[in-house]
Amino acid sequence: MIFGYAYFFLKKFELLDDKGSCSLFSRGVCWTVSLLSIIGITGYTAFTFLCKNKPECNEVHPYVAFVPIISYIILRNVAGFMRTRYSTFFAWFGKISLELFITQYHIWLSADTHGVLVLIPSYPVLNVIVTSFVFLCVSHEMSKLVTTLSNYAVPNNWKVLVRNATVFLLVLLPIGISHGMLG
């Protein structure tokens, strides 16, 4: 979010040029920032390969984990030709990311996240393929349902919104009180 705010701030004061496929900054700044980003990604990759044991890596990880993330964000967005392209495959995953997050606990994980759902015993690879397919299908359908139902739950008209919120509270409040949720 910091990058988002910085982007809008810099664009508002015309410190960025974000028209079409041109670079955000001057050519020299773009090359310098891109080189620093590549060094950041390469350095973190070298760190992960050269780390001797897990406790040592876990001790340093919180202090350096931001480096590849910020490096990638900068590298991806500084050059105009990279900023104007995207993967439709990953964009589709981005559209259903909330549902993926929620359904992973219900489809993939079991026993309070200490186990894995097994549909096909004795075939772990086939089991992962089948459960992953089910997981993606359920997440996609949930996304379509949420999109459809959100239009009814949160309409554009504020009067209808107040009516829906009132009905929601009048129906659910007595149920919550009768089940001891509020007391």
Side-chain angles (χ1 to χ4, degrees), residues 24-168:
L24 290 178
F25 302 106
S26 67
R27 186 179 202 107
V29 173
C30 284
W31 278 104
T32 305
V33 171
S34 297
L35 181 64
L36 290 174
S37 295
I38 291 170
I39 290 171
I41 292 170
T42 306
Y44 185 80
T45 303
F47 163 73
T48 58
F49 280 114
L50 297 176
C51 196
K52 301 263 189 268
N53 54 19
K54 187 165 175 58
E56 181 182 304
C57 294
N58 287 346
E59 186 177 322
V60 179
H61 179 74
Y63 303 108
V64 296
F66 71 93
V67 172
I69 297 168
I70 291 177
S71 296
Y72 173 77
I73 291 171
I74 290 171
L75 189 63
R76 167 80 169 82
N77 292 311
V78 166
F81 69 91
M82 291 180 72
R83 191 175 58 254
T84 57
R85 289 170 176 72
Y86 65 93
S87 166
T88 54
F89 178 71
F90 289 122
W92 179 76
F93 275 105
K95 288 179 183 176
I96 63 169
S97 61
L98 175 65
E99 291 78 10
L100 289 169
F101 176 74
I102 293 169
T103 58
Q104 73 178 336
Y105 297 105
H106 301 283
I107 306 292
W108 266 342
L109 304 174
S110 60
D112 290 332
T113 69
H114 296 292
V116 177
L117 177 65
V118 177
L119 296 176
I120 306 170
S122 302
Y123 296 99
V125 174
L126 187 60
N127 186 63
V128 168
I129 291 170
V130 170
T131 55
S132 296
F133 179 73
V134 169
F135 169 62
L136 288 174
C137 289
V138 168
S139 296
H140 182 257
E141 289 302 314
M142 274 189 60
S143 176
K144 289 183 0 186
L145 281 170
V146 166
T147 302
T148 302
L149 293 177
S150 66
N151 293 331
Y152 296 109
V154 186
N156 292 333
N157 186 347
W158 70 272
K159 291 179 183 178
V160 178
L161 176 64
V162 170
R163 181 202 66 195
N164 289 356
T166 305
V167 170
F168 182 75

Side-chain angles (χ1 to χ4, degrees), residues 2-18 24-25:
I2 293 170
F3 280 98
Y5 287 123
Y7 170 77
F8 286 117
F9 176 78
L10 293 171
K11 193 173 177 184
K12 180 179 180 182
F13 292 105
E14 297 178 1
L15 297 171
L16 290 179
D17 182 20
D18 191 24
L24 290 178
F25 302 106

